[in-house]
Amino acid sequence: MGVFDNLERKLEGAVSGAFARAFKGDVQPVEITARLQRELDSEAKLLSRDRKLVPNDFTVGLSQHDYDRLTPYSRTLNAEILPQLREYASNQGYIFNGPVTVAYELASDLPTGRFTVESAAVAIVNADPASSGVLRRSNLVLEVNNIRHPLMPPGFTLGRGNDADVRINDPGISRLHARVVVQGFGDDQHIAIEDMGSTNGILVDGQRVRNAGLHEGSRIEMGNTRLLVRSPVSDV
């Protein structure tokens, strides 16, 4: 019996009883877990001969009916799904870049029994230990070398050295190159980038700056690295 067969058997046991009765005829927890496993397989990126980076941040879109029935159980459901997903990843040689989270969102255009999955490899900087993966996530992220860093207060530093919160392996980047400052949440959020005395400076949207405000779509250049401010689920 394969690894995923074991995963399914464990989940079938975990969601039997109350879960099975609650979701009969609708989206099944085992279906969600199977889809998350396939997402790991399809999005795995080679790091070395034996290791692959996989997404760790998942958003499951549900119809109104399934959303109303599933979300009351989301914390308990994730408590069963996440350990099994981590076990599968470990057996496959997959590497997560941060905590594994699964959030559930309403997709009112979906029919009952259908769901979608969006995923990203997200490095969490100064993550809130109380976060369960069910709570609302950052409005925007900073994408660096295909890794998405949530833009949440107070922000983080960027650089080549060990002291930087987000390390970037680029000889054109200083050990502590820049600081991303994040204030507030939602519509009141303000994001800016500040040069920390770097050798080669910063370009924002093609203009050399010492500090500048950032918004969705802002493009930053540091050394030979390009960074992008984007929505967590956009495909820019």
Side-chain angles (χ1 to χ4, degrees), residues 43-204:
E43 296 297 322
K45 294 179 173 59
L46 188 66
L47 291 178
S48 65
R49 185 175 65 179
D50 300 319
R51 302 199 310 167
K52 294 180 179 180
L53 178 70
V54 292
N56 59 300
D57 181 81
F58 303 92
T59 302
V60 179
L62 298 163
S63 69
Q64 182 72 64
H65 175 79
D66 289 313
Y67 181 85
D68 291 343
R69 298 190 63 148
L70 180 61
T71 51
Y73 297 93
S74 57
R75 291 181 184 275
T76 303
L77 182 59
N78 280 359
E80 300 291 347
I81 288 178
L82 296 182
Q84 304 301 331
L85 205 59
R86 293 188 192 101
E87 179 182 345
Y88 179 81
S90 177
N91 288 326
Q92 296 297 102
Y94 293 157
I95 303 298
F96 295 116
N97 198 53
V100 184
T101 62
V102 179
Y104 301 89
E105 293 185 352
L106 175 63
S108 56
D109 57 326
L110 286 176
T112 298
R114 298 287 298 276
F115 65 95
T116 61
V117 171
E118 297 279 353
S119 68
V122 175
I124 303 297
V125 179
N126 295 328
D128 179 359
S131 174
S132 67
V134 180
L135 303 179
R136 186 177 180 87
R137 298 167 299 150
S138 167
N139 288 348
L140 296 173
V141 298
L142 181 66
E143 184 172 275
V144 185
N145 294 329
N146 295 319
I147 304 300
R148 299 178 186 180
H149 302 267
L151 290 167
M152 300 180 68
F156 46 83
T157 56
L158 303 162
R160 181 168 46 86
N162 292 331
D163 292 339
D165 295 320
V166 177
R167 294 186 61 193
I168 305 174
N169 185 19
D170 181 337
I173 290 178
S174 299
R175 294 180 63 82
L176 271 178
H177 197 106
R179 176 185 292 109
V180 176
V181 179
V182 183
Q183 299 175 322
F185 294 91
D187 294 337
D188 296 326
Q189 189 173 69
H190 176 74
I191 307 169
I193 189 167
E194 302 173 352
D195 193 310
M196 298 180 69
S198 67
T199 300
N200 295 322
I202 303 169
L203 295 178
V204 175

Side-chain angles (χ1 to χ4, degrees), residues 220-233:
I220 304 160
E221 296 178 52
M222 297 166 43
N224 296 311
T225 301
R226 289 174 172 78
L227 306 84
L228 174 66
V229 178
R230 62 185 294 176
S231 165
V233 296

